[in-house]
Amino acid sequence: MHEDATCNDLQKIITQAINEIKQEQGENFNLAKINLAELERRTGLSRSRLRHLKENNFIVTPHGRTGQKATSTVLTGYSGIIDGLLRKGVTNSSVCFERLREAGYTGGLTTVKTYIADHRDLVPPKRQLVAPQGNRGRRYQTSPGESYQMDWGFVQVDTNTDASYKVACFAMICHHCGERYIEFFPNARQENLFIGMIHAFTYMGIPHYILTDNMKSVVIRRDPEGHPIWQKDYKVFMETIGFQTKLCKPRHPFTKGKVERLIRFVKDNFLAGRVFGTITELNLEAIGWCNRQNSIYHKTVDCIPCEKHQEDCMAVASVLTKTQALAFYLCPERKISFDGFVHYEGRRFGVPYWYTQKTCRIRRDSFTLYIYASDLSKVLTTHDVTWMRRDSFCRDQYVTEQPEEVPSMPVKTRIFQIEPPKQHSGFEKFNFEEGLWDE
């Protein structure tokens, strides 16, 4: 085979082979009677392909459907989902691919990347960024199980009623291996901070210290020597769990850059274009997302976080033991209103009337809400969490029937009731016509 036959131009390959055969046969050459077996050996084309080319005098023509696009592809039926993500500014192909897989898409990631590249016009223009300020700090490393970083992030939630509200995302990450945990709450109150930390410690273990910024629920102020004055409830919480806290320099987010980057990653990856029904469902999806992210390789830490955390960090970190003291943090205290309701996560839930204390404790576990006595001695009632704004009543919330005594012996005493006498007004004496028309 001629060296030109190794090129990608099919017409050149065929023409070169025919010319070689023509030179060898001389005057006996006849294109209509050319030996297809010899031509097959020289060009590497199949016999059927050569027969088809012979009908057109060995002139290569483009396919009749060249340039036409298929009416239906593997993305047909899912283009609305990916178009909606692009209009929201989500151009991460992995995020789009994950959303499509959740909707039943069976294609590959390359098809999604090609579609995004061809539909860049749907992406809204980005705002102009200011010039970077450069590096202000030096990265440092910690030993296994030594330090976790935690912080709050906030996201705006839009509803079908054109109303919007904010939810808080609690984030904690291991500084050594990058093991991460996130959970969403209706607000960033201290009670939710304690619940999020306990859940994170159950998931990741207890480190030597926590690195965080100057939250109001953590520190009140600093003394003249610069030592932090802890918020009293947080100080008791540290002593109960058994860890220490280190504070970052004010207005210096680089100190806890790992958790800052985690919150940005949650917003760009997990929350990008996400639609959810309730915060409970959102947290179930969040823990699944954490499990997936912790089980894949991350270049920044050069490891699979869950494997390295289990091998190195958990050998040093303490395992959280569930005690009665922790139960009080997981069940925040609430006052009972005069009409028998307690307020929790933006809704009101009924308490039985026979519970006479002024306070109780409440805890939400998945789609069930439990109301306990103030000392956690018993469960008063449970509610199905529907996340609707109207009040949720419980059994025995109000007394439906008052106690009543009935006769124990037959009643023999009888009395008689007459019509009450008619009372005259003070203007009767001025009625001069009374009696004039009587016959």
Side-chain angles (χ1 to χ4, degrees), residues 338-404:
F338 74 97
D339 53 350
F341 285 98
V342 290
H343 194 275
Y344 187 69
E345 293 184 341
R347 290 165 302 283
R348 300 205 311 166
F349 301 91
V351 182
Y353 74 90
W354 46 261
Y355 181 70
T356 58
Q357 301 294 327
K358 295 183 179 180
T359 60
C360 63
R361 292 189 174 271
I362 191 168
R363 178 176 67 91
R364 175 176 56 82
D365 185 7
S366 186
F367 291 94
T368 304
L369 185 129
Y370 299 88
I371 299 180
Y372 299 89
S374 58
D375 56 354
L376 296 179
S377 58
K378 59 182 177 180
V379 179
L380 303 180
T381 186
T382 60
H383 292 267
D384 293 332
V385 180
T386 60
W387 296 90
M388 301 184 70
R389 292 299 175 182
R390 58 173 175 262
D391 297 341
S392 177
F393 295 87
C394 71
R395 184 180 180 182
D396 296 337
Q397 183 171 349
Y398 300 106
V399 181
T400 58
E401 186 176 348
Q402 295 291 332
E404 181 181 359

Side-chain angles (χ1 to χ4, degrees), residues 1 21 35-48 50:
M1 184 181 296
I21 296 175
N35 190 342
L36 295 182
E38 179 65 19
L39 192 61
E40 178 184 4
R41 185 186 66 81
R42 293 174 182 263
T43 60
L45 300 176
S46 64
R47 190 76 59 88
S48 60
L50 291 173

Side-chain angles (χ1 to χ4, degrees), residues 185-366:
F185 296 94
N187 51 62
R189 293 179 180 174
Q190 188 183 55
E191 61 183 25
N192 291 330
L193 175 67
F194 291 158
I195 294 174
M197 293 180 71
I198 292 175
H199 291 169
F201 291 154
T202 305
Y203 187 84
M204 304 167 58
I206 306 174
H208 292 170
Y209 68 88
I210 295 292
L211 183 64
T212 182
D213 53 12
N214 298 263
M215 301 181 186
K216 295 181 180 179
S217 55
V218 173
V219 62
I220 299 176
R221 62 182 184 277
R222 298 177 184 269
D223 59 14
E225 297 180 358
H227 300 143
I229 299 178
W230 306 109
Q231 202 274 343
K232 59 178 182 179
D233 294 330
Y234 184 81
K235 183 178 181 181
V236 176
F237 179 75
M238 284 194 300
E239 296 173 352
T240 303
I241 302 296
F243 69 94
Q244 298 178 357
T245 301
K246 290 186 178 181
L247 299 178
C248 301
K249 183 179 179 181
R251 295 174 296 277
H252 198 269
F254 298 94
T255 309
K256 54 180 182 61
K258 282 187 176 293
V259 71
E260 296 281 357
R261 185 63 184 89
L262 172 60
I263 292 176
R264 191 173 71 181
F265 181 61
V266 170
K267 294 179 179 180
D268 294 342
N269 187 281
F270 175 71
L271 293 176
R274 183 167 294 275
V275 178
F276 68 98
T278 65
I279 295 184
T280 302
E281 297 175 355
L282 185 62
N283 282 327
L284 293 177
E285 297 173 358
I287 193 64
W289 180 83
C290 290
N291 294 334
R292 292 193 300 271
Q293 294 297 326
N294 291 331
S295 59
I296 62 177
Y297 174 80
H298 289 268
K299 185 178 179 180
T300 54
V301 290
D302 191 24
C303 69
I304 298 177
C306 65
E307 296 180 358
K308 190 171 184 179
H309 188 80
Q310 190 66 29
E311 295 175 1
D312 300 340
C313 300
M314 289 305 295
V316 181
S318 305
V319 178
L320 183 64
T321 304
K322 295 183 179 180
T323 60
Q324 184 70 10
L326 289 183
F328 283 96
Y329 288 108
L330 292 173
C331 304
E333 190 176 27
R334 287 292 186 273
K335 291 184 179 181
I336 304 175
S337 63
F338 74 97
D339 53 350
F341 285 98
V342 290
H343 194 275
Y344 187 69
E345 293 184 341
R347 290 165 302 283
R348 300 205 311 166
F349 301 91
V351 182
Y353 74 90
W354 46 261
Y355 181 70
T356 58
Q357 301 294 327
K358 295 183 179 180
T359 60
C360 63
R361 292 189 174 271
I362 191 168
R363 178 176 67 91
R364 175 176 56 82
D365 185 7
S366 186

Side-chain angles (χ1 to χ4, degrees), residues 53-72:
L53 292 173
K54 183 180 179 181
E55 296 176 356
N56 199 28
N57 295 326
F58 295 99
I59 298 175
V60 179
T61 57
H63 194 275
R65 299 182 64 87
T66 301
Q68 297 183 10
K69 294 185 178 180
T71 56
S72 63

Side-chain angles (χ1 to χ4, degrees), residues 142-160:
T142 57
S143 58
E146 180 182 355
S147 172
Y148 293 168
Q149 297 180 11
M150 73 173 184
D151 199 3
W152 287 104
F154 298 90
V155 60
Q156 196 81 11
V157 178
D158 298 327
T159 62
N160 293 332

